[in-house]
Amino acid sequence: MKRRLHIVQGGIINGDKAWLVRAASRKLRAPTWIAPKSAEIGDDVVIYVGGFGFFATARVDSKPHSRRDWINRFGVALRDVRLIKPAISLGAIRRCVPDLTW
């Protein structure tokens, strides 16, 4: 099985960052996280949190499903949440991979 890497976003005010910290230490499973429709079970995820950078990694644990609360968005379950210590800023990535285009 070929796994893909997806970059997803988490927030601070909405509690995502705090949840990621708890999930990593308690081995919690996120029942739904906004992710691409193309995500497949077993794919890797890097979670970007604004102001911190790439903050955690996880693995997709369910097929994408349409979110009723957010039009044109899909949710997946996440498992195996691990914090990136220290978080990797976008500036650091730009310095290390200057030819990377977004």
Side-chain angles (χ1 to χ4, degrees):
M1 176 170 94
K2 186 175 182 178
R3 294 191 324 219
R4 288 178 281 177
L5 176 66
H6 305 279
I7 298 174
V8 300
Q9 190 164 346
I12 298 170
I13 295 171
N14 66 359
D16 288 347
K17 180 181 172 287
W19 185 88
L20 289 166
V21 171
R22 282 193 316 277
S25 67
R26 298 180 188 168
K27 300 187 185 320
L28 300 176
R29 179 180 185 266
T32 184
W33 201 279
I34 300 296
K37 183 179 180 180
S38 63
E40 295 181 7
I41 295 171
D43 283 354
D44 294 307
V45 172
V46 176
I47 302 162
Y48 174 81
V49 176
F52 288 87
F54 294 112
F55 188 78
T57 63
R59 184 145 301 149
V60 175
D61 199 32
S62 72
K63 293 181 180 180
H65 60 275
S66 293
R67 292 283 301 255
R68 292 183 211 156
D69 60 338
W70 199 347
I71 195 165
N72 296 325
R73 295 291 185 265
F74 295 84
V76 297
L78 297 180
R79 64 178 169 88
D80 299 335
V81 176
R82 296 181 183 182
L83 299 182
I84 299 171
K85 295 182 180 180
I88 303 168
S89 71
L90 289 180
I93 291 174
R94 286 185 184 118
R95 284 191 300 278
C96 292
V97 190
D99 294 334
L100 183 68
T101 58
W102 298 90

